[in-house]
Amino acid sequence: TKKVYLPSYEEWSLAVEHQVARNTVASITYVGNHGYHEPVSRLPNAYNAAGTNATLPTSLPNKSFASVTEYYSGASSNYNGLIATVTNRSKWLTTQFNYAHGHALDEVSNGGFDAFGVNPSGQINPYDLKQNYGNADYDTKHYFSANYSIQVPYKHFGPKALTADWELSGTIFHNTGYPFSVFDATGNNVYGNSALAKQVD
């Protein structure tokens, strides 16, 4: 049996901020993190009788069992990102514009317990988790967002509770698409996933 650990994460960041005008501040921030002892599930009794999947044996590894699911703390993840922000504040209006360029990598997103999007849970080769290392299911290379906040001026008529301290705000955003996987149907196996052919950004 394998010992199960609590997931652990190391995080770091470095930010530079500068006032570019009387009411405007620009900043650039680098952020990164590394996760380890992350939970992952695998199917150690998988096999491929036809021999079309080179990563799997051609017969059942343990004939005493059929499908077997194992959970252990063997996965890891990495993220690096650069975030640029411009903020402008005036008497009644605050606006902010953000751009983030980042890259998230792992072996199996969310440990294979809660697949993100249409990617399958689990790993390509149940005997070698590292073969699955690549873009995370939720990897977003480019992300743009903008938000605003308007303080509605107080009008001296009507009940103060209805005419004072109101605020209007909103956010818009856009990001590039998530990666997806293309599978080779000829590599089907029993008690496991299909053979991965190519991951597309």
Side-chain angles (χ1 to χ4, degrees), residues 11-24:
E11 299 181 348
W12 52 89
S13 65
L14 176 65
V16 177
E17 187 175 271
H18 181 66
Q19 182 175 344
V20 296
R22 181 181 178 185
N23 299 317
T24 305

Side-chain angles (χ1 to χ4, degrees), residues 11 21 27 30 34 42 49 51 61-63 79 82 86 98 117-119 126 134 138 147 149-150 172 180 182 199-200:
E11 299 181 348
S27 66
Y30 163 71
H34 170 62
R42 75 177 187 127
N62 189 330
K63 294 179 172 37
Y79 175 78
L82 193 66
V86 176
N98 309 286
V118 297
N119 282 350
Y138 35 76
N147 56 72
S149 175
I150 303 172
I172 59 173
F180 66 94
V182 178
Q199 187 176 65
V200 181

Side-chain angles (χ1 to χ4, degrees), residues 80-162:
N80 288 282
L82 193 66
I83 303 168
T85 300
V86 176
T87 305
N88 178 271
R89 293 183 175 88
S90 61
K91 186 175 182 180
W92 307 111
L93 174 66
T94 298
T95 56
Q96 186 176 75
F97 302 90
N98 309 286
Y99 166 71
H101 176 70
H103 195 192
L105 297 155
D106 61 19
E107 290 105 355
V108 53
S109 299
N110 300 324
F113 306 121
D114 186 15
F116 183 88
V118 297
N119 282 350
S121 61
Q123 60 200 68
I124 303 166
N125 181 357
Y127 303 102
D128 185 4
L129 180 63
K130 295 303 178 186
Q131 285 191 19
N132 223 35
Y133 189 75
N135 296 336
D137 290 357
Y138 35 76
D139 179 42
T140 304
K141 296 291 175 59
H142 304 281
Y143 180 87
F144 305 86
S145 69
N147 56 72
Y148 64 89
S149 175
I150 303 172
Q151 288 289 133
V152 179
Y154 169 56
K155 299 297 183 181
H156 296 277
F157 58 84
K160 187 174 181 180
L162 298 178

